Amino acid sequence: MTKRVLVTGGAGFLGSHLCERLLDNNCEVLCVDNFFTGSRRNITHLLDNKDFELLRHDVTHPLHVEVDEIYNLACPASPIHYQFDPVQTTKTSVMGVINMLGLAKRVKAKILQASTSEVYGDPIVHPQPEEYWGNVNPIGFRSCYDEGKRCAETLIFDYVRQHKIPAKVVRIFNTYGPRMHLKDGRVVSNFVVQALTGCDITIYGDGAQTRSFCYVDDLIEAMMRMMATTPETTGPINIGNPVEFTIRELGELVIELTGSRSRLVFEPLPCDDPKQRQPDIRKAREKLGWEPQIQLRAGLMKTIAYFDELLKKEQPQPA
């Protein structure tokens, strides 16, 4: 029997790639998005597919549909977006997951919660295993996202214990690739757009802080493997690339791959910005048989090609 799958945040960066993969796997897909950070452009090529349905809806309001599986991805994920309306960000994480858990309970659907490495805050344990409880500022500028996602995890596990629903949690580390928002303020998109437009590349701090970058195709594969696990595999499980790069190294690589004349310029580090972020993915290897396959150079080349085409389309055409 064909599975009917709900993807909240389905018109976003990750959600659109997930919708695509699910359709390739012969699923019926209900894509739900309020288009705050999602874009119709991301899913235009799917609209003619008879197994794809698009619904404009905000997950802070209940949703009454019949589905077999739920991927809950709805939430702005970049600081520039989640800090724009921090109260709404928290509501999206907390009320959104309450509504999706209520739906899962009613229709007996399996649910996967897209959590984040931000639950670890500015970590003092490196790399970060799932057992680490984190070092999060509960009242800072990033708290609406960090604490919202932490609370969402709490709700998932309380529903599992209290209502026995089949649920999964993945903690997503830095992910990049085509369909990232042009102005989402995240480091890969920032650097690529700045390099392609000939602007200086802005590095916050001294550039020695580290990140681990996972290409979007690898991430989607891990999420689908997690959804397919047996009920006792609830997680949380870290999903990300364990190969660590400094922000300065990333900037230099983007300049090399774009052939840009951009210079690296340095600005003060934002409040609560983590100094290190690297996933311990031993559980992903053990439980999912998964590890990233696409290395940073190859993934960046695909991402650069996407942004190059996008920027050319958005430039005003000569009369």
Side-chain angles (χ1 to χ4, degrees), residues 231-261:
E232 61 270 16
T233 303
T234 303
I237 290 183
N238 289 335
I239 302 298
N241 195 322
V243 181
E244 195 175 13
F245 292 87
T246 68
I247 297 301
R248 185 178 190 122
E249 287 173 330
L250 176 68
E252 290 169 347
L253 182 56
V254 167
I255 289 173
E256 176 196 333
L257 295 178
T258 57
S260 175
R261 296 183 179 180

mmCIF file of all heavy atoms in Angstrom, residues 231-261:
data_model
loop_
_atom_site.group_PDB
_atom_site.id
_atom_site.type_symbol
_atom_site.label_atom_id
_atom_site.label_comp_id
_atom_site.label_asym_id
_atom_site.label_seq_id
_atom_site.Cartn_x
_atom_site.Cartn_y
_atom_site.Cartn_z
ATOM 1 N N PRO A 231 10.586 0.362 16.097
ATOM 2 C CA PRO A 231 10.052 1.280 17.103
ATOM 3 C C PRO A 231 10.986 1.577 18.268
ATOM 4 O O PRO A 231 10.944 2.681 18.827
ATOM 5 C CB PRO A 231 8.777 0.566 17.591
ATOM 6 C CG PRO A 231 8.357 -0.278 16.439
ATOM 7 C CD PRO A 231 9.624 -0.722 15.780
ATOM 8 N N GLU A 232 11.834 0.626 18.646
ATOM 9 C CA GLU A 232 12.695 0.876 19.803
ATOM 10 C C GLU A 232 13.812 1.880 19.517
ATOM 11 O O GLU A 232 14.438 2.400 20.441
ATOM 12 C CB GLU A 232 13.297 -0.436 20.323
ATOM 13 C CG GLU A 232 14.177 -1.174 19.337
ATOM 14 C CD GLU A 232 13.401 -2.171 18.485
ATOM 15 O OE1 GLU A 232 12.152 -2.088 18.446
ATOM 16 O OE2 GLU A 232 14.050 -3.031 17.866
ATOM 17 N N THR A 233 14.060 2.182 18.249
ATOM 18 C CA THR A 233 15.067 3.188 17.896
ATOM 19 C C THR A 233 14.394 4.549 17.850
ATOM 20 O O THR A 233 13.802 4.936 16.842
ATOM 21 C CB THR A 233 15.744 2.869 16.547
ATOM 22 O OG1 THR A 233 16.327 1.571 16.611
ATOM 23 C CG2 THR A 233 16.829 3.886 16.227
ATOM 24 N N THR A 234 14.459 5.255 18.961
ATOM 25 C CA THR A 234 13.820 6.562 19.076
ATOM 26 C C THR A 234 14.831 7.689 18.887
ATOM 27 O O THR A 234 14.503 8.747 18.378
ATOM 28 C CB THR A 234 13.137 6.697 20.463
ATOM 29 O OG1 THR A 234 12.200 5.627 20.620
ATOM 30 C CG2 THR A 234 12.409 8.018 20.584
ATOM 31 N N GLY A 235 16.062 7.454 19.287
ATOM 32 C CA GLY A 235 17.069 8.505 19.229
ATOM 33 C C GLY A 235 17.192 9.159 20.592
ATOM 34 O O GLY A 235 16.792 8.587 21.608
ATOM 35 N N PRO A 236 17.707 10.378 20.641
ATOM 36 C CA PRO A 236 18.155 11.168 19.493
ATOM 37 C C PRO A 236 19.417 10.612 18.858
ATOM 38 O O PRO A 236 20.233 9.982 19.527
ATOM 39 C CB PRO A 236 18.414 12.551 20.098
ATOM 40 C CG PRO A 236 18.747 12.270 21.534
ATOM 41 C CD PRO A 236 17.913 11.089 21.923
ATOM 42 N N ILE A 237 19.555 10.866 17.559
ATOM 43 C CA ILE A 237 20.749 10.465 16.824
ATOM 44 C C ILE A 237 21.306 11.674 16.078
ATOM 45 O O ILE A 237 20.560 12.379 15.388
ATOM 46 C CB ILE A 237 20.440 9.306 15.847
ATOM 47 C CG1 ILE A 237 20.171 8.016 16.637
ATOM 48 C CG2 ILE A 237 21.575 9.106 14.854
ATOM 49 C CD1 ILE A 237 19.932 6.790 15.789
ATOM 50 N N ASN A 238 22.596 11.910 16.251
ATOM 51 C CA ASN A 238 23.272 12.995 15.539
ATOM 52 C C ASN A 238 23.385 12.667 14.055
ATOM 53 O O ASN A 238 23.782 11.560 13.689
ATOM 54 C CB ASN A 238 24.695 13.198 16.076
ATOM 55 C CG ASN A 238 24.734 13.791 17.460
ATOM 56 O OD1 ASN A 238 23.804 14.469 17.894
ATOM 57 N ND2 ASN A 238 25.829 13.557 18.173
ATOM 58 N N ILE A 239 23.064 13.659 13.220
ATOM 59 C CA ILE A 239 23.228 13.528 11.780
ATOM 60 C C ILE A 239 24.079 14.702 11.304
ATOM 61 O O ILE A 239 23.661 15.861 11.405
ATOM 62 C CB ILE A 239 21.880 13.532 11.042
ATOM 63 C CG1 ILE A 239 20.969 12.410 11.551
ATOM 64 C CG2 ILE A 239 22.106 13.421 9.538
ATOM 65 C CD1 ILE A 239 21.506 11.024 11.345
ATOM 66 N N GLY A 240 25.243 14.415 10.804
ATOM 67 C CA GLY A 240 26.128 15.474 10.326
ATOM 68 C C GLY A 240 27.436 14.876 9.855
ATOM 69 O O GLY A 240 27.653 13.669 9.937
ATOM 70 N N ASN A 241 28.294 15.732 9.356
ATOM 71 C CA ASN A 241 29.598 15.294 8.869
ATOM 72 C C ASN A 241 30.634 15.505 9.969
ATOM 73 O O ASN A 241 30.806 16.632 10.445
ATOM 74 C CB ASN A 241 29.982 16.095 7.620
ATOM 75 C CG ASN A 241 31.131 15.466 6.857
ATOM 76 O OD1 ASN A 241 32.070 14.945 7.449
ATOM 77 N ND2 ASN A 241 31.056 15.502 5.544
ATOM 78 N N PRO A 242 31.341 14.454 10.389
ATOM 79 C CA PRO A 242 32.286 14.601 11.495
ATOM 80 C C PRO A 242 33.613 15.255 11.111
ATOM 81 O O PRO A 242 34.454 15.481 11.976
ATOM 82 C CB PRO A 242 32.512 13.158 11.950
ATOM 83 C CG PRO A 242 32.308 12.351 10.713
ATOM 84 C CD PRO A 242 31.237 13.059 9.931
ATOM 85 N N VAL A 243 33.799 15.564 9.814
ATOM 86 C CA VAL A 243 35.031 16.223 9.384
ATOM 87 C C VAL A 243 34.924 17.719 9.698
ATOM 88 O O VAL A 243 34.001 18.395 9.246
ATOM 89 C CB VAL A 243 35.292 16.009 7.884
ATOM 90 C CG1 VAL A 243 36.602 16.696 7.467
ATOM 91 C CG2 VAL A 243 35.348 14.517 7.562
ATOM 92 N N GLU A 244 35.876 18.215 10.473
ATOM 93 C CA GLU A 244 35.792 19.567 11.035
ATOM 94 C C GLU A 244 36.644 20.548 10.224
ATOM 95 O O GLU A 244 37.752 20.237 9.810
ATOM 96 C CB GLU A 244 36.291 19.506 12.480
ATOM 97 C CG GLU A 244 35.957 20.697 13.337
ATOM 98 C CD GLU A 244 36.393 20.455 14.781
ATOM 99 O OE1 GLU A 244 37.147 19.498 15.040
ATOM 100 O OE2 GLU A 244 35.980 21.242 15.638
ATOM 101 N N PHE A 245 36.082 21.739 9.987
ATOM 102 C CA PHE A 245 36.799 22.810 9.297
ATOM 103 C C PHE A 245 36.691 24.094 10.109
ATOM 104 O O PHE A 245 35.661 24.345 10.745
ATOM 105 C CB PHE A 245 36.195 23.078 7.911
ATOM 106 C CG PHE A 245 36.388 21.963 6.923
ATOM 107 C CD1 PHE A 245 35.472 20.919 6.853
ATOM 108 C CD2 PHE A 245 37.476 21.940 6.074
ATOM 109 C CE1 PHE A 245 35.632 19.885 5.951
ATOM 110 C CE2 PHE A 245 37.654 20.913 5.156
ATOM 111 C CZ PHE A 245 36.738 19.880 5.100
ATOM 112 N N THR A 246 37.737 24.931 10.049
ATOM 113 C CA THR A 246 37.595 26.273 10.615
ATOM 114 C C THR A 246 36.821 27.128 9.629
ATOM 115 O O THR A 246 36.787 26.861 8.418
ATOM 116 C CB THR A 246 38.960 26.935 10.897
ATOM 117 O OG1 THR A 246 39.604 27.212 9.650
ATOM 118 C CG2 THR A 246 39.838 26.052 11.770
ATOM 119 N N ILE A 247 36.208 28.182 10.153
ATOM 120 C CA ILE A 247 35.459 29.095 9.297
ATOM 121 C C ILE A 247 36.399 29.773 8.294
ATOM 122 O O ILE A 247 36.036 30.012 7.138
ATOM 123 C CB ILE A 247 34.720 30.140 10.151
ATOM 124 C CG1 ILE A 247 33.689 29.445 11.056
ATOM 125 C CG2 ILE A 247 34.040 31.179 9.281
ATOM 126 C CD1 ILE A 247 32.640 28.642 10.330
ATOM 127 N N ARG A 248 37.595 30.049 8.730
ATOM 128 C CA ARG A 248 38.571 30.643 7.802
ATOM 129 C C ARG A 248 38.881 29.685 6.648
ATOM 130 O O ARG A 248 38.966 30.109 5.482
ATOM 131 C CB ARG A 248 39.849 31.013 8.548
ATOM 132 C CG ARG A 248 40.838 31.745 7.651
ATOM 133 C CD ARG A 248 42.110 32.168 8.371
ATOM 134 N NE ARG A 248 42.865 33.053 7.504
ATOM 135 C CZ ARG A 248 43.217 34.282 7.810
ATOM 136 N NH1 ARG A 248 42.861 34.818 8.958
ATOM 137 N NH2 ARG A 248 43.919 35.010 6.950
ATOM 138 N N GLU A 249 39.066 28.399 6.939
ATOM 139 C CA GLU A 249 39.318 27.418 5.884
ATOM 140 C C GLU A 249 38.161 27.372 4.893
ATOM 141 O O GLU A 249 38.376 27.259 3.674
ATOM 142 C CB GLU A 249 39.536 26.030 6.495
ATOM 143 C CG GLU A 249 40.876 25.859 7.200
ATOM 144 C CD GLU A 249 40.986 24.531 7.925
ATOM 145 O OE1 GLU A 249 39.952 24.003 8.381
ATOM 146 O OE2 GLU A 249 42.118 24.029 8.050
ATOM 147 N N LEU A 250 36.942 27.444 5.404
ATOM 148 C CA LEU A 250 35.770 27.451 4.524
ATOM 149 C C LEU A 250 35.811 28.669 3.600
ATOM 150 O O LEU A 250 35.582 28.543 2.385
ATOM 151 C CB LEU A 250 34.483 27.457 5.341
ATOM 152 C CG LEU A 250 33.196 27.573 4.515
ATOM 153 C CD1 LEU A 250 32.972 26.311 3.687
ATOM 154 C CD2 LEU A 250 31.992 27.840 5.417
ATOM 155 N N GLY A 251 36.086 29.847 4.163
ATOM 156 C CA GLY A 251 36.151 31.057 3.352
ATOM 157 C C GLY A 251 37.198 30.960 2.259
ATOM 158 O O GLY A 251 36.960 31.339 1.101
ATOM 159 N N GLU A 252 38.362 30.438 2.593
ATOM 160 C CA GLU A 252 39.435 30.303 1.604
ATOM 161 C C GLU A 252 39.062 29.313 0.506
ATOM 162 O O GLU A 252 39.378 29.527 -0.681
ATOM 163 C CB GLU A 252 40.720 29.871 2.318
ATOM 164 C CG GLU A 252 41.309 30.964 3.206
ATOM 165 C CD GLU A 252 42.417 30.464 4.114
ATOM 166 O OE1 GLU A 252 42.565 29.223 4.242
ATOM 167 O OE2 GLU A 252 43.127 31.305 4.706
ATOM 168 N N LEU A 253 38.360 28.226 0.875
ATOM 169 C CA LEU A 253 37.949 27.236 -0.110
ATOM 170 C C LEU A 253 36.888 27.814 -1.057
ATOM 171 O O LEU A 253 36.930 27.567 -2.274
ATOM 172 C CB LEU A 253 37.423 25.984 0.589
ATOM 173 C CG LEU A 253 36.995 24.815 -0.316
ATOM 174 C CD1 LEU A 253 38.128 24.388 -1.253
ATOM 175 C CD2 LEU A 253 36.524 23.636 0.535
ATOM 176 N N VAL A 254 35.959 28.583 -0.528
ATOM 177 C CA VAL A 254 34.926 29.202 -1.364
ATOM 178 C C VAL A 254 35.570 30.169 -2.365
ATOM 179 O O VAL A 254 35.200 30.201 -3.546
ATOM 180 C CB VAL A 254 33.873 29.925 -0.494
ATOM 181 C CG1 VAL A 254 32.977 30.825 -1.351
ATOM 182 C CG2 VAL A 254 33.014 28.907 0.251
ATOM 183 N N ILE A 255 36.534 30.956 -1.918
ATOM 184 C CA ILE A 255 37.239 31.864 -2.827
ATOM 185 C C ILE A 255 37.937 31.086 -3.939
ATOM 186 O O ILE A 255 37.884 31.452 -5.123
ATOM 187 C CB ILE A 255 38.245 32.734 -2.045
ATOM 188 C CG1 ILE A 255 37.497 33.763 -1.181
ATOM 189 C CG2 ILE A 255 39.212 33.440 -2.996
ATOM 190 C CD1 ILE A 255 38.390 34.561 -0.255
ATOM 191 N N GLU A 256 38.582 29.982 -3.567
ATOM 192 C CA GLU A 256 39.269 29.155 -4.569
ATOM 193 C C GLU A 256 38.297 28.591 -5.599
ATOM 194 O O GLU A 256 38.540 28.669 -6.817
ATOM 195 C CB GLU A 256 39.999 28.009 -3.858
ATOM 196 C CG GLU A 256 40.677 27.033 -4.822
ATOM 197 C CD GLU A 256 41.059 25.719 -4.158
ATOM 198 O OE1 GLU A 256 41.281 25.709 -2.925
ATOM 199 O OE2 GLU A 256 41.120 24.689 -4.872
ATOM 200 N N LEU A 257 37.167 28.028 -5.129
ATOM 201 C CA LEU A 257 36.240 27.349 -6.034
ATOM 202 C C LEU A 257 35.451 28.314 -6.908
ATOM 203 O O LEU A 257 35.020 27.951 -8.005
ATOM 204 C CB LEU A 257 35.276 26.458 -5.230
ATOM 205 C CG LEU A 257 35.916 25.275 -4.496
ATOM 206 C CD1 LEU A 257 34.879 24.513 -3.698
ATOM 207 C CD2 LEU A 257 36.630 24.344 -5.469
ATOM 208 N N THR A 258 35.230 29.519 -6.436
ATOM 209 C CA THR A 258 34.504 30.511 -7.236
ATOM 210 C C THR A 258 35.431 31.335 -8.121
ATOM 211 O O THR A 258 34.970 32.031 -9.031
ATOM 212 C CB THR A 258 33.718 31.479 -6.334
ATOM 213 O OG1 THR A 258 34.623 32.106 -5.410
ATOM 214 C CG2 THR A 258 32.611 30.756 -5.571
ATOM 215 N N GLY A 259 36.727 31.284 -7.846
ATOM 216 C CA GLY A 259 37.657 32.135 -8.580
ATOM 217 C C GLY A 259 37.460 33.603 -8.267
ATOM 218 O O GLY A 259 37.796 34.484 -9.070
ATOM 219 N N SER A 260 36.923 33.880 -7.088
ATOM 220 C CA SER A 260 36.587 35.255 -6.708
ATOM 221 C C SER A 260 37.825 36.031 -6.261
ATOM 222 O O SER A 260 38.826 35.450 -5.815
ATOM 223 C CB SER A 260 35.566 35.232 -5.562
ATOM 224 O OG SER A 260 35.307 36.530 -5.098
ATOM 225 N N ARG A 261 37.737 37.352 -6.372
ATOM 226 C CA ARG A 261 38.782 38.228 -5.846
ATOM 227 C C ARG A 261 38.420 38.763 -4.461
ATOM 228 O O ARG A 261 39.044 39.702 -3.964
ATOM 229 C CB ARG A 261 39.018 39.399 -6.803
ATOM 230 C CG ARG A 261 39.563 38.963 -8.172
ATOM 231 C CD ARG A 261 39.847 40.156 -9.064
ATOM 232 N NE ARG A 261 40.391 39.742 -10.358
ATOM 233 C CZ ARG A 261 40.718 40.584 -11.327
ATOM 234 N NH1 ARG A 261 40.543 41.890 -11.158
ATOM 235 N NH2 ARG A 261 41.206 40.129 -12.463
#
